[in-house]
Amino acid sequence: MSDDRVLEHILNPSAPVGASLAKIQDDPEPKTPEEIEAKRLEVAAVNFAEAGKYPESQAQFNAAIALAPHLGSLFNNRAQLYRLQGSNDAALEDIETALRLSGGVGKTAMQAYSQRAMMHMLNEDEEAARQDFERSAELGGKFAACQAAKLNPYAKLCNQMLEKAMQELQ
């Protein structure tokens, strides 16, 4: 088995040996002038958020959503801003909108499922988190595949047994 296949099996242990994570399906390219401008504003909003300029980021996201309210990535990325600000209810609302607009497929859905899973973890709901991480992993999310494996009850048991065996060998 190649190193890549071994790594894929570690990241996605519930999949059959030899299976690999799905290739991430890109969201559709912006076509209309409104969509193109909304995507430009989205990039600016993300840059503001990364610089800690949350009010400026919020204004850019709101302007982008006003131009293209059908683009799920705008809501998903604004949800991240809300999470950074501690506004988890607003974040969850935007995540749900992003999932609805994406139809549960593509890069936006993959990211939104992971974000929602992280919110479930904050609320100590590991089962809901695992389910969303698995959905994200099915869409190609490697981070999500790792997290789903960690939350898998069988993987937890296996890791405990392995840890015990390693301790006994020392």
Side-chain angles (χ1 to χ4, degrees):
M1 187 181 295
S2 73
D3 290 345
D4 288 341
R5 289 178 65 188
V6 170
L7 181 59
E8 288 294 338
H9 186 66
I10 291 169
L11 293 176
N12 196 7
S14 61
V17 175
S20 63
L21 293 174
K23 182 182 181 307
I24 299 170
Q25 178 184 338
D26 288 331
D27 292 328
E29 289 292 319
K31 293 182 176 90
T32 67
E34 293 82 9
E35 290 175 343
I36 292 167
E37 178 62 11
K39 293 304 269 183
R40 186 192 68 72
L41 291 168
E42 179 181 32
V43 169
V46 168
N47 289 334
F48 278 129
E50 288 174 348
K53 298 179 179 180
Y54 299 151
E56 293 90 341
S57 178
Q58 178 80 41
Q60 296 295 304
F61 277 126
N62 291 345
I65 288 169
L67 284 173
H70 57 281
L71 295 179
S73 70
L74 302 175
F75 290 93
N76 187 59
N77 285 323
R78 188 174 70 174
Q80 181 64 28
L81 172 65
Y82 285 145
R83 285 183 56 214
L84 290 171
Q85 295 174 308
S87 300
N88 290 338
D89 290 340
L92 189 56
E93 187 175 317
D94 270 7
I95 290 168
E96 297 297 340
T97 300
L99 287 168
R100 182 177 48 77
L101 292 173
S102 70
V105 297
K107 184 177 179 181
T108 293
M110 179 200 69
Q111 293 172 339
Y113 280 126
S114 284
Q115 275 207 87
R116 191 169 72 180
M118 295 299 292
M119 295 191 70
H120 288 313
M121 291 297 292
L122 286 173
N123 294 325
E124 299 180 9
D125 186 349
E126 285 191 2
E127 179 57 24
R130 183 186 60 77
Q131 290 174 7
D132 276 349
F133 279 134
E134 286 178 355
R135 288 181 187 119
S136 181
E138 288 168 4
L139 296 172
K142 289 185 179 183
F143 168 77
C146 289
Q147 297 305 310
K150 287 179 186 176
L151 294 173
N152 181 307
Y154 298 109
K156 281 183 179 181
L157 182 60
C158 182
N159 286 337
Q160 289 171 352
M161 291 173 22
L162 181 60
E163 186 177 313
K164 183 179 177 185
M166 294 301 286
Q167 288 173 352
E168 290 175 2
L169 288 173
Q170 293 177 346

